[in-house]
Amino acid sequence: MKTKQRAFLKWAGGKYRLTEDIFQQLPQRRCLVEPFVGAGSVFLNSDFERYILADINPDLINLFTIIKADVERYIAHAKALFTHPKANTPDFYYKKRAEFNPSRDPFQRAVLFLYFNRFGFNGLCRYNQKHEFNVPFGRYKQPYFPEKELCFFAEKAQKATFLCGDFEQTFAYLQANPDDYAVYCDPPYAPLVQESNFTHYAGGGFSLQQQEKLALSAKALAKADIPVLISNHDTLFTRQIYRGATIKSFQVQRHIGQTARSRIKVNELFALFS
Ligand SMILES: C[S@@+](CC[C@H](N)C(=O)[O-])C[C@H]1O[C@@H](n2cnc3c(N)ncnc32)[C@H](O)[C@@H]1O
């Protein structure tokens, strides 16, 4: 069995454990498209000729683009930051956060983004209404520097085109640039009925209307012979918006927090529009 590749970022809703199930559902095509790429666990563990990887988060796509262009330079700068004698102190962290927010320098933002991901609270990525990154310091003993994960990502990224935008922009790009596509969508989860920190966090500003719009756009792409697989919570709402697709449901244990309390069991589903 192939060794699984870990993403170099911690990311809410990462699909590291589900990649085999995803590939079982996804039709074989030449180019994999991920309109909600996140940290890229699916991309990293797949074997397509080429990729289109998109996300609405500009810091994430900027980071991927910079790593693809010159990972050695990136590693040198990021490692220097991680090993700074003060790196793991709140003062240093908040100073760097204050430098990051007004910065328009793509390279500086990319280096700091990884530092926040490993030294910040729970690996969260959160912005306030002014688009300022506002995650507090994390208090970890010894944050890990993901050098080999960065190198693996950079090598594989040579086959990828990165796009920053809403999923509808990615879908429009596919229609304007025909190729042999299979699309895997991993949107922020639709809410569960019960309250939990996880669903509260993972609401991610993605409304029920957007969930519905995504399902409609997937149906339209499938009509144009582009298969689309979507994963989500298995709820009455998702069953309703994905009707007409082939549905597969299964139970997973996911966790986003650091404690056993933050671990919950939910049913997930795959909806394949083809
Ligand atoms: C559940 S995560 C994807 C996780 C990914 N599959 C992984 O394994 O790391 C969802 C992603 O969707 C992105 N996102 C949220 N709203 C979006 C939108 N309207 N269009 C495109 N991406 C969006 C978020 O920035 C986040 O990275």
Side-chain angles (χ1 to χ4, degrees):
M1 205 176 130
K2 256 184 15 185
T3 346
K4 287 189 75 172
Q5 296 298 330
R6 287 222 175 253
F8 67 85
L9 291 170
K10 301 177 178 180
W11 208 252
K15 288 294 175 295
Y16 179 76
R17 291 160 202 228
L18 289 184
T19 52
E20 287 312 314
D21 299 292
I22 293 165
F23 300 132
Q24 265 178 25
Q25 308 299 314
L26 204 60
Q28 282 282 324
R29 297 288 160 108
R30 292 219 156 99
C31 180
L32 174 65
V33 183
E34 288 201 64
F36 303 85
V37 68
S41 325
V42 178
F43 153 65
L44 288 168
N45 289 288
S46 67
D47 195 11
F48 286 75
E49 281 175 30
R50 42 191 184 271
Y51 297 88
I52 292 173
L53 305 177
D55 200 283
I56 204 163
N57 184 324
D59 283 316
L60 185 69
I61 297 300
N62 171 55
L63 169 60
F64 291 167
T65 309
I66 279 179
I67 289 168
K68 177 183 173 184
D70 188 350
V71 73
E72 281 170 22
R73 174 168 178 249
Y74 180 82
I75 286 177
H77 284 76
K79 205 190 244 176
L81 184 62
F82 271 59
T83 52
H84 187 285
K86 293 266 164 59
N88 204 13
T89 64
D91 279 359
F92 188 86
Y93 179 90
Y94 291 113
K95 194 169 146 264
K96 291 295 163 194
R97 210 177 70 173
E99 284 172 21
F100 176 83
N101 279 322
S103 170
R104 293 287 161 263
D105 173 352
F107 192 82
Q108 185 191 23
R109 284 187 80 91
V111 169
L112 288 172
F113 193 74
L114 179 62
Y115 166 71
F116 301 145
N117 183 259
R118 292 282 166 178
F119 290 73
F121 183 74
N122 259 352
L124 292 181
C125 180
R126 198 183 58 197
Y127 302 85
N128 63 20
Q129 289 189 336
K130 289 190 252 163
H131 304 291
E132 292 164 342
F133 184 83
N134 68 357
V135 174
F137 181 62
R139 301 190 183 285
Y140 292 101
K141 259 200 194 114
Q142 207 176 23
Y144 170 67
F145 183 67
E147 182 161 351
K148 65 176 195 312
E149 290 82 355
L150 281 163
C151 291
F152 186 88
F153 188 101
E155 199 184 319
K156 191 137 183 149
Q158 302 311 314
K159 294 182 175 177
T161 301
F162 293 106
L163 302 177
C164 181
D166 183 76
F167 68 88
E168 290 194 58
Q169 289 169 278
T170 306
F171 282 19
Y173 176 95
L174 302 185
Q175 273 157 338
N177 300 275
D179 195 350
D180 189 21
Y181 295 126
V183 182
Y184 169 59
C185 292
D186 184 16
Y189 286 108
L192 291 170
V193 178
Q194 84 246 35
E195 273 299 310
S196 79
N197 287 339
F198 185 85
T199 48
H200 179 69
Y201 168 73
F206 199 78
S207 65
L208 297 184
Q209 284 74 14
Q210 282 170 296
Q211 298 280 4
E212 233 168 329
K213 179 80 195 53
L214 173 63
L216 287 174
S217 306
K219 258 177 220 167
L221 270 196
K223 281 215 178 95
D225 198 28
I226 302 179
V228 182
L229 180 70
I230 308 180
S231 53
N232 211 324
H233 285 146
D234 187 356
T235 67
L236 283 175
F237 171 73
T238 55
R239 289 263 172 175
Q240 206 233 327
I241 61 173
Y242 300 147
R243 66 191 181 278
T246 309
I247 304 282
K248 190 179 167 231
S249 180
F250 54 100
Q251 196 175 64
V252 288
Q253 186 172 45
R254 253 206 335 268
H255 55 97
I256 178 170
Q258 292 165 313
T259 65
R261 248 189 334 153
S262 60
R263 249 163 269 230
I264 51 169
K265 273 199 173 157
V266 285
N267 272 6
E268 292 227 359
L269 62 69
F270 285 129
L272 177 64
F273 292 94
S274 60

